[in-house]
Amino acid sequence: MPDQPVFVLVRPQMGENIGAAARAMWNFGLDRMRMVDPRDGWPNPRAVALASGAGRLLDHAGIFETTAAAIGDCDHVYATTARPRGLTKPVVTPERAMEEARGLIGQGRRVAVLFGPERAGLENDDIARANAIISVPVNPEFFSLNLAQCVLLTAYEWRRQTTEIVAERMEMAGAEPATALEVEKLAEHYEARLDAAGFFFPETKAPGMKLTLRNLWSRMPLTRADVQVFHGMLRQLTRGRGPRP
Amino acid sequence: MPDQPVFVLVRPQMGENIGAAARAMWNFGLDRMRMVDPRDGWPNPRAVALASGAGRLLDHAGIFETTAAAIGDCDHVYATTARPRGLTKPVVTPERAMEEARGLIGQGRRVAVLFGPERAGLENDDIARANAIISVPVNPEFFSLNLAQCVLLTAYEWRRQTTEIVAERMEMAGAEPATALEVEKLAEHYEARLDAAGFFFPETKAPGMKLTLRNLWSRMPLTRADVQVFHGMLRQLTRGRGPRP
């Protein structure tokens, strides 16, 4: 059973675009490609050259004479189009389509997504074979997605819908976060040196100023190394001045 | 106040890629572009040629000598990178970044997103100026997004986060959905003709078969035109046969 949708390039024209589509797919972990009647025949050396690291997709791509043959073993088919085509058919975003595809594939069903030729897109004959249309929600004033970009956005949504992705993490570059005690010691160091320098003036405002400073240190995402840098800066700046705390 | 993030191309090389980046942005309604020290100078006729319908973005693009100057008026900066860079910094997905950007811009803040040169990406000097890193969650085995594709995915996420998008609609092509009464009449028409043709046999199974058929008609998303087509087919198929219901 396939665990991912099949992407079908219908009558693709330029080999370069076939290679770029393969790369777009493999960026997001998809590797099942089919083609219907590629204009310049198959294999196509330009496609292979442009696929670079994703050449394996082309080696295993199924080549078919008709759209019907290419989707013969699939039971849910999406057609990607830029504009309404005068066919009565559900129209979904790539996001919704890939969410549905995840569910369908989870039930063991076989899902295909059709992408049309570069210049004119899919013909109505192809679209009529699809269960639904995928339409990328672009700026109503401007549409200029090329074949590889349509493939890219659909593949991106597949991965977004199916992979546990950490939305935010801290790249620590080997650094450890500072402990609360280290931050406390740092705050004390600054407070003492600033006090000696007459920073907390007038005295009535000193408690508020100290609180503000404590809060500032606490809200910085400091590493242990950062803390050492701040200590070092302060030591250097106050060398030979005032009483040592 | 800007109501969208500024996209900053840092030391872009090929004019073609600058044009393609402009198109990628405008597909998703973004039109504020800045550039830092484009390799081939500015204006660049190749960029203009490739931007086609998005040429306006290039006409209004700000050109700066340094990254610092290009983001001088911004107060939250993202840097896009493919790989970890050994800098301690939050790393977010495009989705999370554009969700944050929506919130920040809603508070009147100015957000910029840095995109690096085609070949090598941003330098650590540029990245150190950013508040956070945007990293597209690609296949860990394969990364091959070009400049315009990085711009495209980020712009796509901006639009997804900020535009009310209908995830699913029915393209009706002027057709109206059939009413329940019309579907009922259609079911009756078929039932009567099938009955006359001896379809419901043996008689003990007839109620179950009729129920199955009723259910089938009801779950089809029929338009009024579809109902007429089904009536017409049945009339044609049974012309001259059996008693007229």
Side-chain angles (χ1 to χ4, degrees), chain A residues 26-27 84 87-89 91-93 95-96 137-139 142 144 156-157 159-160 167-169 171-172, chain B residues 26-27 87-89 91-93 95-96 137-139 142 144 156-157 159-160 167-169 171-172:
Chain A
W26 189 227
N27 266 298
L87 289 167
T88 297
K89 186 89 72 181
V91 179
V92 295
T93 59
E95 179 177 5
R96 172 61 61 88
V138 293
N139 177 357
F142 188 68
S144 106
Y156 169 79
E157 280 291 356
R159 189 166 177 87
R160 213 170 61 78
E168 182 161 0
R169 64 190 166 80
E171 172 79 30
M172 292 301 282
Chain B
W26 189 227
N27 266 299
L87 289 168
T88 298
K89 185 89 71 179
V91 179
V92 294
T93 58
E95 179 178 5
R96 171 62 60 90
V138 293
N139 177 356
F142 188 68
S144 107
Y156 168 79
E157 280 291 356
R159 189 165 177 86
R160 213 171 60 78
E168 183 160 2
R169 65 190 166 81
E171 173 78 30
M172 292 301 282

Side-chain angles (χ1 to χ4, degrees), chain B residues 9-15 18 34-44 62-65:
Chain B
L9 308 188
V10 179
R11 296 180 297 281
Q13 302 178 321
M14 307 270 287
I18 298 170
R34 292 179 182 176
M35 269 171 273
V36 176
D37 190 23
R39 185 191 64 185
D40 300 335
W42 197 257
N44 180 329
I63 311 292
F64 298 83
E65 282 185 31

Side-chain angles (χ1 to χ4, degrees), chain B residues 223-242:
Chain B
T223 65
R224 298 189 135 176
D226 295 335
V227 168
Q228 291 315 312
V229 169
F230 275 108
H231 278 299
M233 288 195 297
L234 184 60
R235 259 181 246 114
Q236 195 60 30
L237 289 167
T238 58
R239 178 157 290 179
R241 285 201 190 164

Side-chain angles (χ1 to χ4, degrees), chain A residues 35-236:
Chain A
M35 270 171 273
V36 176
D37 191 23
R39 186 190 65 184
D40 299 335
W42 196 257
N44 179 329
R46 292 298 298 156
V48 174
L50 265 283
S52 58
R56 190 173 58 78
L57 274 71
L58 301 183
D59 298 340
H60 296 110
I63 310 294
F64 298 84
E65 282 185 30
T66 64
T67 302
I71 59 175
D73 63 344
C74 300
D75 55 35
H76 199 87
V77 177
Y78 293 99
T80 53
T81 75
R83 296 282 174 230
R85 296 304 194 89
L87 289 167
T88 297
K89 186 89 72 181
V91 179
V92 295
T93 59
E95 179 177 5
R96 172 61 61 88
M98 293 300 100
E99 189 189 329
E100 287 175 355
R102 179 193 59 197
L104 292 165
I105 289 171
Q107 297 162 37
R109 294 184 57 185
R110 289 164 177 270
V111 174
V113 184
L114 304 177
F115 296 89
E118 292 91 323
R119 197 169 296 267
L122 291 168
E123 289 176 12
N124 277 2
D125 251 19
D126 303 309
I127 297 171
R129 297 178 191 283
N131 298 74
I133 288 171
I134 295 177
S135 183
V136 179
V138 293
N139 177 357
E141 292 176 47
F142 188 68
F143 177 93
S144 106
L145 296 176
N146 63 34
L147 174 58
Q149 287 174 328
C150 277
V151 168
L152 184 82
L153 288 172
T154 311
Y156 169 79
E157 280 291 356
W158 169 259
R159 189 166 177 87
R160 213 170 61 78
Q161 297 293 334
T162 56
T163 311
E164 195 64 49
I165 293 165
V166 179
E168 182 161 0
R169 64 190 166 80
M170 182 58 77
E171 172 79 30
M172 292 301 282
E176 283 172 85
T179 64
L181 181 63
E182 287 163 335
V183 177
E184 173 71 18
K185 293 278 180 206
L186 179 65
E188 281 172 12
H189 188 185
Y190 270 76
E191 201 174 291
R193 287 294 189 176
L194 290 167
D195 215 357
F199 180 81
F200 299 111
F201 182 86
E203 232 174 83
T204 51
K205 292 205 170 165
M209 293 167 82
K210 287 179 183 175
L211 183 68
T212 300
L213 260 184
R214 289 288 167 135
N215 187 45
L216 182 156
W217 292 117
S218 307
R219 105 183 110 79
M220 299 290 119
L222 294 167
T223 65
R224 296 190 137 177
D226 295 335
V227 169
Q228 290 315 313
V229 169
F230 275 108
H231 278 300
M233 288 195 296
L234 184 60
R235 258 182 246 115
Q236 195 61 31

Side-chain angles (χ1 to χ4, degrees), chain B residues 183-220:
Chain B
V183 176
E184 173 71 19
K185 293 278 180 207
L186 179 66
E188 281 172 11
H189 188 185
Y190 269 77
E191 200 173 293
R193 288 294 189 175
L194 289 167
D195 215 356
F199 181 81
F200 299 112
F201 182 86
E203 233 175 81
T204 51
K205 293 206 170 168
M209 292 167 82
K210 286 176 185 178
L211 183 67
T212 300
L213 261 184
R214 288 289 167 134
N215 187 44
L216 182 156
W217 291 117
S218 308
R219 107 183 108 78
M220 298 290 119

